[in-house]
Amino acid sequence: MDHSFDNYSAADFLLSDDFVSHQLEPTPETALLWDEWLASNPPNLAEWNNAVYLLDSIRLGLARYAQQVISEEAIDALLTRIRQTNRQRSVQVRAVYRFRWLAAAVVLLASGLFVYWWLGKSASESYYASRVADLRSEYTERVNHSPFQQTIVLPDSSVVQLAPGSRITFKPSFEAALREVYLSGEAVFKVTRDVRRPFLVYANEVVTRVLGTQFTVRAFDAEAKVLVNVSSGQVSVSKDGPLPGKAKEQSGSGLLLLPNQQAVFSRQSEEFSKSIVAEPQVIGADGQAPSFEYDGVPVSSVIEDLERAYGISILFSKEQLKNCELSASLKTETFEEKLRVICTTVNADYQKLDGQVVIHGGECR
């Protein structure tokens, strides 16, 4: 691998044909080359990681994240290439599925028993079963029949806490470019970080993609919504494509989730909504978290403490609050209670919108 990549920034990677080709259409040859480069511990690994997320953001319809790094013209060129790749793949997929459909039709006509068995299946199994039907010969399935949460260690040392009544399917070894898991039910994932092999969870119509983080997915097939809740790191969520197990076939727009944010996908309207989790938690180590003890401290500094501690963006008018100070102990209060104290102090109110907080008004003399 050419070590000139050691000096690349995220923008350089996004403008590199080698990088983009591998991300859109990886092959065993390109995977070997990039694995070799990544194994050399390049000094700009963070730039590579950022480029991967930015390209994912563009693919998910979140181009604004990339506008701070590359030009709109470059983003348009990437979008054009992504669409061309998707169209080519779509043609291939239709051809394969046309053949499979004909073969399936022959089988169905030959055996009414199969139809009876399929129609008799529980509705809660339909999505999950259709996604793993072609995979069971090479995948391992674990089902939690107990009334307690079950711990499962995946081949890459990632840990899954599988809820009662849930099941998960995965390869007995993660040797490919992608670590893929299929979920029916609810599970908490603590993913081992590996920038070379993204981790994907397919749950109902939603695909969650990460490199290494902790998050929860709730996707019982009998329920009308899918929930993805992020505890640390960041994940992208998007609507699943027409084929199982193909990350490159994700379709439509999606969301980028940060800690203490969650996405809810409506299976009826096929739309995502993003919000703050019900009980945000401090995401930094205890030694790095603010004390939340204030004596005549500018309110703007208090708000900045909340942003750093919880990873939640808080929008407010610095001009309106420039003369406001806070004297209070917020050490034991929840995130919501801290916001209420601040807003009461400055005569303002707040609104939680699209995964962030907006403080309206405020006046101090």
Side-chain angles (χ1 to χ4, degrees):
M1 173 62 71
D2 185 355
H3 280 277
S4 63
F5 288 114
D6 292 356
N7 300 315
Y8 270 32
S9 65
D12 293 329
F13 281 119
L14 290 172
L15 298 175
S16 165
D17 184 67
D18 289 333
F19 173 83
V20 175
S21 295
H22 175 66
Q23 295 299 319
L24 296 182
E25 297 182 284
T27 66
E29 291 77 17
T30 61
L32 181 63
L33 290 173
W34 282 109
D35 282 353
E36 179 182 313
W37 180 76
L38 290 166
S40 69
N41 297 313
N44 59 339
L45 186 58
E47 294 293 328
W48 156 278
N49 187 18
N50 191 26
V52 171
Y53 271 114
L54 289 173
L55 185 58
D56 277 344
S57 298
I58 294 172
R59 285 198 281 188
L60 294 172
L62 303 170
R64 65 179 181 274
Y65 289 102
Q67 289 175 356
Q68 301 176 8
V69 176
I70 58 176
S71 66
E72 291 186 11
E73 292 77 8
I75 292 174
D76 290 340
L78 284 172
L79 283 170
T80 299
R81 185 167 179 179
I82 290 168
R83 294 188 187 105
Q84 289 174 345
T85 302
N86 290 341
R87 280 197 296 269
Q88 292 171 359
R89 190 176 295 113
S90 177
V91 171
Q92 296 170 353
V93 167
R94 285 197 297 269
V96 171
Y97 261 69
R98 187 178 298 111
F99 173 80
R100 290 185 178 179
W101 181 86
L102 290 173
V106 172
V107 173
L108 288 173
L109 290 172
S111 177
L113 289 175
F114 177 80
V115 177
Y116 175 80
W117 171 79
W118 179 258
L119 292 177
K121 287 176 68 67
S122 166
S124 65
E125 295 180 346
S126 59
Y127 182 90
Y128 176 82
S130 67
R131 287 311 189 198
V132 303
D134 296 334
L135 306 175
R136 284 178 175 164
S137 60
E138 57 175 325
Y139 279 64
T140 298
E141 182 180 56
R142 299 284 294 275
V143 183
N144 186 1
H145 295 295
S146 76
F148 308 104
Q149 195 173 64
Q150 184 179 88
T151 300
I152 299 171
V153 180
L154 299 179
D156 65 339
S157 298
S158 295
V159 178
V160 180
Q161 300 293 339
L162 192 64
S166 303
R167 58 182 64 201
I168 191 172
T169 294
F170 55 92
K171 277 189 175 183
S173 64
F174 288 144
E175 298 178 350
L178 298 174
R179 297 173 288 171
E180 297 174 308
V181 171
Y182 298 82
L183 170 69
S184 174
E186 182 174 359
V188 178
F189 293 85
K190 189 173 183 179
V191 178
T192 300
R193 185 171 182 80
D194 187 343
V195 297
R196 294 168 290 178
R197 295 180 300 169
F199 189 100
L200 293 97
V201 178
Y202 297 85
N204 287 342
E205 293 83 2
V206 173
V207 182
T208 303
R209 178 186 177 106
V210 303
L211 295 178
T213 185
Q214 183 169 341
F215 61 100
T216 301
V217 178
R218 181 181 174 90
F220 287 97
D221 284 316
E223 295 183 351
K225 295 181 179 180
V226 178
L227 171 69
V228 179
N229 178 316
V230 180
S231 300
S232 65
Q234 58 183 355
V235 309
S236 63
V237 292
S238 61
K239 186 178 181 300
D240 195 1
L243 288 175
K246 302 295 183 182
K248 298 180 289 296
E249 289 161 14
Q250 296 174 24
S251 61
S253 61
L255 296 175
L256 187 67
L257 299 180
L258 302 176
N260 286 320
Q261 291 183 339
Q262 65 182 16
V264 176
F265 177 78
S266 170
R267 303 178 69 188
Q268 182 176 7
S269 65
E270 297 189 344
E271 293 180 346
F272 284 100
S273 61
K274 182 165 69 171
S275 61
I276 297 173
V277 299
E279 298 181 3
Q281 301 296 316
V282 174
I283 60 175
D286 291 340
Q288 299 175 348
S291 66
F292 294 118
E293 299 280 353
Y294 303 105
D295 184 9
V297 176
V299 166
S300 59
S301 297
V302 178
I303 293 175
E304 290 172 359
D305 279 354
L306 260 66
E307 287 186 308
R308 286 194 300 269
Y310 293 93
I312 297 173
S313 176
I314 303 176
L315 306 180
F316 65 99
S317 171
K318 292 185 178 181
E319 179 63 26
Q320 285 183 287
L321 303 185
K322 66 180 181 180
N323 296 321
C324 298
E325 294 182 348
L326 178 69
S327 295
S329 173
L330 304 179
K331 190 171 183 178
T332 60
E333 277 73 12
T334 65
F335 178 77
E336 194 90 8
E337 289 168 343
K338 289 181 175 73
L339 282 176
R340 292 193 189 116
V341 171
I342 293 172
C343 288
T344 299
T345 301
V346 300
N347 298 313
D349 57 16
Y350 69 92
Q351 178 185 17
K352 292 185 286 186
L353 181 66
D354 194 31
Q356 59 188 1
V357 174
V358 180
I359 295 180
H360 301 283
E363 181 181 7
C364 299
R365 297 179 181 176

